[in-house]
Amino acid sequence: MPKVLRADNMNKCLGCFTCMLTCAAVNHNNHNLAKSSIKVKTRGGLQSKFAATICVACKEPACAEACPTNALVKRPGGGVKLIEEKCIACEKCVAACIVGSIHMDYDRKIPIVCKHCGACVRMCPHNCLSMEEVSE
Amino acid sequence: MIGKDFIRVLYIDLTNKKADIQERKDLYKYLGGAGVAAKLLEENMKKGVDPLHESQPIIISIGPLSTIFPVVTKAVATFISPHTGEYGESHAGGRLAMAIRNAGYDAIVITGKAQKPTYLVITDKNIEFKDARAMWGLDIEETGRVIREREPGPGKRSIIRIGKAGENLVTYSCVNVDTYRHFGRLGIGAVFGSKNLKAMMIMGEEDLPIANLKEYFKTYQEIYKKVTQTDAMAKYHELGTPMNIKVLNSISSLPTKNLLQSTFEHADDISGETFAEKNLVRKVSCVGCPIGCIHIGQFRREFDKGYEYESISVSYDHELIYALGSLLGIKTTDEVLQIIEEVELAGLDAITTGVVLAWATEALKKGLISREDTLADLEFGNTMEYVKAIDNIAERVNEFYYTIGKGLKEAVKKYGGEEFALLYGGNEMAGYHTGYAFALGQTVGARHSHLDNAGYSYDQSAKELKDDEIINYVINEEKERAVLTSLCICLFARKVYDRPTILKALNAVGINWTDDDLTRLANDVFFTKLKIKKELGYSLENYKFPKRIFETPTMWGKMDEERLNRLLKMYIERVEKEYEDWSRGK
């Protein structure tokens, strides 16, 4: 069964950002956590709780519907896969994602899209993140 | 810079609102952090000029492993200390190192003075000098909120700022870093204030490609495992540093009531265990650290009759519970948190504030100062009066508060009472009355911090205190820590980052250093700081320890004044000789 990323335990988050450093490194070969697909931030100042903006793995992904070149295709279990060669960096997917999970990598001129690879989950020290098995 | 053989320095001139960037190959051999910041201070400081003169620099530096390896979280600031008049160095965690890294810099040098209150915005794309006139006078929390709301980039930025204490040039004002961390000691807040610099916001999306992902991530994971799956750092997450309160109390080493005592009858009531059970609501990390040592305590305060409560959250640590707790005779965790909150909002260094107030309490009782001076009934255990006094320090409301706003060194010149002024090397005492190694260590340490050489740790682990061993330990430990702090590794991770691990991490990002290189760095940084201190007129000749430290027992019993003086003499002789050799080798 396919798996998707969940961030159901963010009250436990320490704000160490290891998930972001890992995603940026493993998926985007970059030390800058601005390249991470998962985005942890506070709800407003450090005195507030942490929240994670992640791809929620839509079964009917609006980002793919908005893509004019079929660069985003549905992946089994929800969410999308990016076919880089087809992407023209029009940013329509960014606007279409209402949870704000997609942002642009302006250095490479592609959107940063979650692969649901689970690397962030493996490196989270406080069990905030998990992979959930879902139907296709 | 990652993958490059130079240090990328951003120079900011507040007077002319100009910036300059230099790629400094010559600084590369100092790696970063304390090493690079000390060198940049040496280059940019003005000898014989007031520490708060606009020409004096503020330097902030990160290291080549910052953020990209676990627990490499610190940024190091150097400046001329308005508190001691000599070398100033302070370390802070939070998000600052990440933000500087992502903005594409290794170090920042700030000189000059803004015409009007200003806050700086530094990103990978721009440097802006923004109007902070309306923020002048705001506390730490409000200043942070205003900038958060005005500027973009939640989650990826760092906001550092001063409070009223910094604006009013109190020589132990701090710079608050991302709410819960600080450049705490030696008065960098006043240096910000003297430049009309209220705050800085830093962030960036600089492209930082990884040269060898396989090697890097393999090493990253190895270190990550060591950090999270061994007990090397567990204590910092569980009870955190406040676990020390009970431990030190049980061995007569917890400075209490201005060190009239070294055990506290209420130690259990303000112990790490009690804080954890009664007040702890969450733990937070600096960016890149999976430990989460920042303990946030909460208490509720009744502000009116009729079940009217407000809730206050502040971070607590051993040093704060000591300085604003046991040293002032405060008996409950709620009250300690209340005093911490006041210190936080004003933007003061917690340790020095507590030690100054403890001295003032005793000076008032002895009649060296009067109630007209203090404007508060300072008495051990009297929380609300201390809260008032803290605000008075930050506001410098009268001549007395103006004077103690320069620390105990100045206070005793005017009012006397030096025999019970808890000073080591001109800086107020840290929370360990453990014995000779601590006393010597804080006195001789480059920044007069207990963390320079961890003498307290030697006192606590030695089977027998031997003079030669103490000298060796204090010197060797400070040199070894110069390596860690040049790499900006949090000192809590010192057991994880032994030399082989450091070399592995450096090699994984293409810095092919050897053990000999690290030894060379340790010596260079240690003696560069001493050179700076000498140039600023620092000397330990004729140094006098306060009487009080010999009157109250440590874990090794009462210290003998002659022996401590002898140790100091031995230290000076040995370091002077090494310094000459080092200078000749240059």
Side-chain angles (χ1 to χ4, degrees):
Chain A
M1 288 230 278
K3 289 181 179 175
V4 298
L5 172 64
R6 297 289 184 225
D8 293 336
N9 286 304
M10 287 303 290
N11 279 355
K12 295 185 191 171
C13 180
L14 301 167
C16 73
F17 292 6
T18 305
C19 55
M20 287 198 278
L21 292 163
T22 301
C23 180
V26 181
N27 291 318
H28 304 281
N29 197 47
N30 207 289
H31 284 308
N32 196 325
L33 49 77
K35 308 280 185 194
S36 167
S37 171
I38 177 169
K39 287 167 278 192
V40 176
K41 54 188 167 193
T42 57
R43 287 166 200 265
L46 273 167
Q47 283 156 317
S48 67
K49 289 177 182 177
F50 287 104
T53 300
I54 59 167
C55 169
V56 295
C58 301
K59 296 277 187 195
E60 293 175 21
C63 53
E65 286 168 16
C67 178
T69 58
N70 294 326
L72 292 172
V73 294
K74 281 195 201 182
R75 71 180 276 284
V80 291
K81 202 178 151 221
L82 173 72
I83 302 164
E84 278 188 39
E85 311 81 74
K86 292 190 179 188
C87 177
I88 54 170
C90 70
E91 303 188 29
K92 291 218 165 58
C93 53
V94 176
C97 176
I98 61 158
V99 296
S101 115
I102 304 178
H103 67 285
M104 290 300 289
D105 178 345
Y106 290 109
D107 295 310
R108 286 186 298 161
K109 297 192 179 62
I110 50 162
I112 292 173
V113 175
C114 178
K115 293 175 182 165
H116 296 271
C117 69
C120 55
V121 180
R122 284 192 292 281
M123 299 301 283
C124 173
H126 238 205
N127 304 318
C128 307
L129 310 171
S130 59
M131 295 301 287
E132 187 190 333
E133 287 195 348
V134 292
S135 60
E136 288 204 6
Chain B
M1 280 295 283
I2 294 178
K4 301 273 168 42
D5 63 347
F6 54 77
I7 301 292
R8 192 158 185 257
V9 186
L10 170 66
Y11 292 83
I12 292 175
D13 173 358
L14 288 166
T15 309
N16 300 304
K17 297 191 181 181
K18 286 281 177 203
D20 185 22
I21 293 164
Q22 287 179 27
E23 294 178 349
R24 297 276 306 269
K25 281 198 178 187
D26 60 314
L27 289 178
Y28 191 63
K29 63 177 181 206
Y30 297 99
L31 282 185
V36 164
K39 279 312 278 185
L40 283 168
L41 182 70
E42 187 188 13
E43 277 175 33
N44 290 283
M45 69 184 190
K46 303 285 179 288
K47 280 176 260 178
V49 176
D50 190 294
L52 297 179
H53 188 269
E54 62 179 80
S55 62
Q56 298 288 16
I58 296 165
I59 290 126
I60 303 174
S61 178
I62 62 168
L65 308 179
S66 285
T67 311
I68 65 173
F69 279 97
V71 214
V72 186
T73 51
K74 298 282 180 175
V76 176
T78 56
F79 48 99
I80 310 292
S81 167
H83 196 61
T84 60
E86 42 119 343
Y87 182 69
E89 178 187 308
S90 189
H91 305 183
R95 295 176 171 179
L96 182 58
M98 168 206 69
I100 294 174
R101 152 84 67 235
N102 290 354
Y105 300 107
D106 300 304
I108 301 171
V109 178
I110 302 166
T111 53
K113 178 179 181 179
Q115 222 171 25
K116 300 264 169 65
T118 294
Y119 74 97
L120 278 170
V121 174
I122 299 170
T123 70
D124 53 329
K125 297 179 184 69
N126 206 355
I127 288 130
E128 293 172 278
F129 302 79
K130 295 196 168 182
D131 183 4
R133 282 174 297 178
M135 276 183 222
W136 208 250
L138 292 187
D139 65 35
I140 294 289
E141 194 174 339
E142 278 299 278
T143 306
R145 184 181 67 82
V146 170
I147 295 178
R148 273 200 299 277
E149 288 176 8
R150 282 189 64 78
E151 303 293 337
K156 286 178 289 203
R157 61 194 172 180
S158 175
I159 300 171
I160 72 176
R161 63 267 194 185
I162 59 169
K164 268 189 267 189
E167 293 172 11
N168 293 331
L169 311 181
V170 174
T171 65
Y172 43 99
S173 50
C174 73
V175 169
N176 179 291
V177 175
D178 302 319
T179 306
Y180 294 133
R181 300 288 90 181
H182 317 79
F183 287 122
R185 306 217 71 188
L186 297 177
I188 188 179
V191 188
F192 269 56
S194 72
K195 297 185 172 312
N196 269 333
L197 181 58
K198 179 70 176 170
M200 287 164 69
M201 194 210 84
I202 305 165
M203 62 173 282
E205 302 198 349
E206 183 80 2
D207 191 23
L208 303 169
I210 301 173
N212 185 343
L213 178 63
K214 214 178 134 201
E215 196 54 36
Y216 160 70
F217 202 60
K218 197 181 98 199
T219 311
Y220 180 93
Q221 283 174 297
E222 271 175 39
I223 298 173
Y224 182 88
K225 265 197 195 133
K226 228 167 132 184
V227 170
T228 54
Q229 291 170 21
T230 69
D231 58 5
M233 293 189 67
K235 65 176 181 183
Y236 295 110
H237 180 65
E238 285 164 13
L239 287 177
T241 57
M243 71 172 284
N244 282 328
I245 295 290
K246 248 184 150 156
V247 173
L248 292 172
N249 190 59
S250 70
I251 54 171
S252 295
S253 298
L254 179 67
T256 301
K257 298 178 189 168
N258 202 38
L259 200 56
L260 285 162
Q261 305 165 206
S262 51
T263 55
F264 186 26
E265 55 279 19
H266 292 284
D268 284 349
D269 301 321
I270 59 166
S271 68
E273 290 80 354
T274 306
F275 268 98
E277 281 154 24
K278 278 181 59 184
N279 303 89
L280 179 64
V281 289
R282 67 192 290 220
K283 297 173 192 172
V284 188
S285 275
C286 300
V287 170
C289 172
I291 290 299
C293 82
I294 305 172
H295 286 57
I296 311 295
Q298 198 174 53
F299 72 100
R300 68 174 194 176
R301 179 161 57 202
E302 189 178 31
F303 61 84
D304 209 349
K305 297 235 156 20
Y307 306 108
E308 293 286 359
Y309 296 106
E310 58 182 323
S311 89
I312 309 291
S313 298
V314 286
S315 69
Y316 63 88
D317 262 302
H318 166 70
E319 295 300 341
L320 290 84
I321 302 172
Y322 138 72
L324 304 171
S326 67
L327 201 69
L328 299 177
I330 307 299
K331 304 181 204 61
T332 69
T333 54
D334 278 7
E335 288 173 274
V336 174
L337 290 174
Q338 194 153 337
I339 300 176
I340 293 175
E341 186 208 12
E342 203 62 27
V343 165
E344 284 283 10
L345 291 173
L348 285 161
D349 170 45
I351 297 178
T352 294
T353 304
V355 175
V356 166
L357 288 174
W359 170 87
T361 304
E362 205 173 324
L364 180 64
K365 198 168 178 197
K366 290 196 156 87
L368 300 179
I369 51 175
S370 71
R371 174 69 171 69
E372 275 155 46
D373 293 317
T374 60
L375 308 172
D377 298 314
L378 301 181
E379 202 182 327
F380 293 126
N382 199 341
T383 299
M384 287 324 290
E385 297 301 304
Y386 287 124
V387 167
K388 264 192 244 170
I390 288 161
D391 198 46
N392 291 340
I393 291 175
E395 300 271 8
R396 305 189 95 163
V397 289
N398 61 15
E399 204 191 320
F400 170 72
Y401 281 103
Y402 185 83
T403 306
I404 67 168
K406 295 185 205 162
L408 287 184
K409 215 165 114 188
E410 294 298 316
V412 298
K413 277 187 203 160
K414 191 171 167 109
Y415 300 104
E418 63 185 332
E419 61 282 6
F420 56 88
L422 302 176
L423 284 169
Y424 283 111
N427 198 18
E428 282 72 10
M429 179 187 188
Y432 301 86
H433 190 50
T434 49
Y436 294 96
F438 165 78
L440 178 72
Q442 193 184 335
T443 305
V444 300
R447 53 189 171 121
H448 308 294
S449 160
H450 61 297
L451 296 171
D452 279 327
N453 44 43
Y456 60 93
S457 177
Y458 179 85
D459 286 333
Q460 283 174 270
S461 55
K463 294 212 167 56
E464 192 187 339
L465 293 185
K466 291 185 190 153
D467 288 359
D468 280 343
E469 270 185 21
I470 292 175
I471 303 293
N472 282 341
Y473 177 88
V474 164
I475 294 173
N476 293 342
E477 186 66 18
E478 183 148 353
K479 286 183 181 173
E480 214 47 38
R481 285 178 178 227
V483 174
L484 293 168
T485 57
S486 293
L487 284 163
C488 298
I489 294 166
C490 175
L491 291 171
F492 289 173
R494 60 188 177 270
K495 286 187 184 141
V496 171
Y497 283 95
D498 49 20
R499 282 200 177 192
T501 307
I502 289 173
L503 289 172
K504 221 177 204 180
L506 284 172
N507 293 347
V509 293
I511 300 174
N512 296 313
W513 277 36
T514 63
D515 197 65
D516 286 347
D517 293 323
L518 294 180
T519 303
R520 195 264 314 148
L521 175 76
N523 277 297
D524 276 355
V525 177
F526 183 89
F527 291 115
T528 297
K529 291 184 196 179
L530 188 59
K531 182 163 177 257
I532 293 171
K533 290 163 83 79
K534 283 171 179 286
E535 285 177 13
L536 294 169
Y538 166 82
S539 161
L540 280 169
E541 295 295 329
N542 306 319
Y543 180 78
K544 210 166 170 306
F545 290 97
K547 275 260 168 320
R548 175 61 47 81
I549 65 169
F550 303 108
E551 294 166 352
T552 305
T554 70
M555 63 181 290
W556 294 94
K558 282 187 188 174
M559 285 192 287
D560 171 32
E561 187 167 359
E562 252 176 59
R563 185 175 177 192
L564 187 54
N565 282 327
R566 189 171 71 231
L567 279 165
L568 180 61
K569 208 165 154 246
M570 282 169 72
Y571 177 92
I572 295 170
E573 276 170 14
R574 163 113 175 250
V575 168
E576 282 305 315
K577 196 184 160 295
E578 283 193 26
Y579 179 73
E580 271 174 38
D581 293 345
W582 176 80
S583 303
R584 261 200 303 275
K586 283 269 120 182

